[in-house]
């Protein structure tokens, strides 16, 4: 019998997979799906405790290719955030994992994107960013750089939207950027995002090998490999595992304690960076734009701000969609109070 490795909830990696992908071979979205599978397996997540959410696009199709035992809702183009908000109220005990594209998020869905960040809904929101609408054959999206020339589209004349800059401006509490070609960093950021009590935006440059992968394009594998500049060495340490001081020498690391007791250890590379400083985050984003580098890692985190479920004081471990009518129905006193407020 083959030696199958089981995690702490008794599942093998296969239990976290989905259907066979139908995306193009080499599409960045496939690499991200693989890292979602690995992160969920390594975090010992029970797949039935997860809801996958997406909009429309090649990226938004990808939840079919991981966690096939989880709940899922493939919503309308650009409308995933409002569906996700409703689903979270229905059952806030689930872990929400959303996948969207740059078109789905920053074109048709920009308004919804902004509001889910303000509300700090506890979910991981991955933007699989390739600068084009892959599914509809490669039109420029709002994240395509000005001057980009594509074979069938001509030249893009518009200034690009920067996902992490938009996230900072809208008060997101976990803002990260990565590159589909950097599997370890993608996995560590997804794990940290799943441990965050609030909205975790992970903007991942995810090349579209069919429509936007020339080496001079800001969303290609070639450009990403040449220009990636990680802010730090990013390590995720689960709650169950002790931090070894020898492994992470003091003075060169910064630790951030997450809501669920896990820790992230950010080991200094060539700059001393504090991801809990909003001002520092805004500055590095601006600098990386000017210097034309692909700055990756955890750019900003705020572990203090209440999440949507905290704001509404939803009951610990009890989902609204499993409560009885008697539990949900307001009492006579409350109805009288509500009536008095209205008339
Ligand atoms: C309301 C609406 N308008 C337009 C479309 C057509 N459409 C489908 S996917 C898509 C863009 C997808 O781009 P992106 O989100 O970047 O995902 P990718 O395919 O690149 O992963 C568009 C415009 C649609 N499905 N619904
Ligand atoms: S068209 Fe582009 S985005 Fe869509 S599956 Fe192919 S490579 Fe990926």
């Amino acid at each position: 019998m083959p030696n199958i490795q089981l995690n702490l909830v008794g599942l093998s990696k296969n239990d976290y997979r989905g259907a066979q992908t139908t995306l193009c071979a080499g599409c960045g979205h496939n690499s991200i799906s693989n890292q979602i599978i690995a992160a969920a397996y390594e975090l010992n997540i029970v797949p039935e405790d997860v809801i996958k959410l997406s909009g429309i696009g090649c990226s938004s199709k990808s939840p079919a290719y991981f966690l096939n035992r989880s709940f899922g809702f493939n919503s309308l183009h650009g409308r995933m955030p409002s569906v996700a908000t409703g689903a979270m109220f229905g059952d806030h005990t689930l872990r929400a994992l959303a996948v969207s594209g740059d078109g789905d998020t920053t074109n048709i869905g920009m308004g919804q994107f902004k509001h889910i960040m303000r509300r700090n809904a506890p979910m991981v929101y991955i933007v699989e960013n390739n600068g084009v609408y892959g599914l509809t054959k490669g039109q420029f999206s709002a994240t395509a750089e000005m001057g980009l020339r594509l074979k069938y589209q001509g030249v893009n004349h518009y200034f690009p939207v920067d996902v992490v800059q938009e996230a900072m401006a809208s008060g997101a509490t976990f803002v990260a950027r990565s590159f589909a070609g950097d599997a370890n960093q993608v996995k560590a950021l997804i794990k940290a995002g799943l441990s965050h009590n609030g909205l975790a935006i992970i903007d991942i440059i995810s090349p579209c090998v069919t429509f936007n992968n020339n080496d001079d394009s800001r969303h290609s594998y070639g450009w990403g490999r040449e220009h990636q500049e990680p802010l730090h060495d990013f390590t995720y340490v689960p709650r169950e595992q002790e931090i070894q001081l020898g492994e992470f020498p003091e003075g060169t690391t910064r630790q951030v304690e997450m809501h669920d007791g896990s820790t992230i250890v950010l080991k200094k590379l060539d700059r001393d960076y504090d991801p809990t400083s909003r001002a520092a985050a805004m500055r590095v984003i601006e600098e990386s734009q000017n210097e034309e580098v692909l700055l990756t890692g955890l750019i900003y985190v705020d572990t203090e701000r209440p999440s949507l479920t905290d704001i509404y004081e939803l009951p610990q471990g009890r989902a609204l969609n499993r409560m009885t009518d008697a539990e949900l129905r307001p009492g006579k006193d409350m109805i009288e109070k509500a009536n008095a407020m209205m008339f």
Side-chain angles (χ1 to χ4, degrees), residues 29 56-60 77 79 100-105 108 128 130-136 139 141 208:
H29 306 347
I56 300 290
C58 298
S59 34
S60 294
H77 197 23
R79 271 51 175 179
S100 177
D102 41 303
D104 194 60
T105 287
I108 195 167
E128 298 188 342
N130 56 19
V132 287
Y133 300 165
L135 190 73
T136 52
Q139 299 86 351
S141 82
C208 170

Side-chain angles (χ1 to χ4, degrees), residues 21 88 143 162:
T21 181
M88 302 238 59
T143 65
D162 183 319

Side-chain angles (χ1 to χ4, degrees), residues 23-24 27-29 58 130 134-135 207-211:
L23 302 183
C24 307
C27 175
H29 306 347
C58 298
N130 56 19
L135 190 73
C208 170
V209 288
T210 304
F211 297 111

